[in-house]
Amino acid sequence: MSLGDDHQSSGGYGGTGQTRTRLPDADGGPRRGGRSSSRSLVTVVGVVVLLIAAIAFANRGGDDSASPDDDAAASNPKTSATAPTGTQPVQSGFAHDDQGAQSAAANFAVALGSDGMFDKARRHEIVDTVYAPDVAASRQADLDGAYANPKFLANIGLDKNGKAPAGQTFVSRVIPVGTKVTASSADKATVEVWYTSLFGLSGGTSTNPVTESWYTTTYQLTWTNEDWKVTDFQQKDGPVPVGRDQRASTADDMTKAVEEYGGFTYAR
């Protein structure tokens, strides 16, 4: 599975078991908890993002870090894809077993919650990569309608092209916490993904600050063309942990973190 010249999907490490590591609602991505009309609208389109998935999982090998004596690189960290430690994941497709299905579902959740869903070309790439061919064709128009909806974009603070205002950074990330297979057969699997999501605009003038939410999405997967693909999904809130008494970071600190900490390119 590939999403571009330098993007590849990752597979499992072999065997089965629970996940060790690492979108809008109604017809699309993750639902964002929260606030009045803007939050409810995000919820509606949230499911849309969850319908599509597949973010490329790029730059798995190699070490792009600067040498120890590179003062410039040390003082100015660059955003980069998170490289795995230990055994390298497979470089093409997911394993045809329970762990492979869990790996696929976790990575699909990451794609569903990505800011790439707000870019038309990238969204089409994600949908075509993650969904089974017969499903992808029927989803494309619905997703385009949801993500190009001027009211929805305005309510979350983006312009008609899905871009953040000058001086602000749009944040949309999903971080899987765990997965489990609830049903499986030779070419079918039902996988639940429990995850937390970050969504909002980071910046001093933002009226939609970055918030976190917790969801569980159940994916129906089918083995198609030597890979797992999404055919359907359902989403629900939680489980939600008790919030710790921590002070929220400033807008500047949040923006700096988002820019300097690259998102995961694979989940397990």
Side-chain angles (χ1 to χ4, degrees), residues 10-22 57 94-110 176-184 188-194 217 219 221 223 228 266-268:
S10 68
Y13 292 89
T16 60
Q18 299 303 101
T19 304
R20 300 185 182 86
T21 61
R22 251 244 49 160
F57 313 112
F94 295 99
H96 192 184
D97 56 20
D98 281 1
Q99 180 164 314
Q102 291 180 74
S103 296
N107 283 290
F108 294 165
V110 172
V177 176
T179 63
K180 70 175 180 179
V181 173
T182 58
S184 66
K188 303 286 184 183
T190 301
V191 182
E192 293 186 1
V193 181
W194 177 36
T217 294
Y219 292 98
L221 305 177
W223 185 253
W228 291 109
Y266 67 96
R268 58 172 292 154

Side-chain angles (χ1 to χ4, degrees), residues 110-185:
V110 172
L112 297 177
S114 73
D115 56 8
M117 290 303 300
F118 293 79
D119 177 84
K120 184 176 181 179
R122 181 63 178 147
R123 180 170 62 251
H124 285 196
E125 186 179 23
I126 291 173
V127 174
D128 289 339
T129 301
V130 175
Y131 275 92
D134 58 332
V135 177
S138 65
R139 296 293 188 193
Q140 204 68 267
D142 291 341
L143 294 174
D144 284 345
Y147 281 94
N149 185 303
K151 184 177 181 181
F152 166 67
L153 293 173
N155 276 326
I156 61 176
L158 303 180
D159 65 20
K160 64 180 182 179
N161 296 313
K163 305 298 182 182
Q168 297 184 37
T169 299
F170 178 50
V171 181
S172 184
R173 291 189 186 183
V174 157
I175 308 93
V177 176
T179 63
K180 70 175 180 179
V181 173
T182 58
S184 66
S185 63

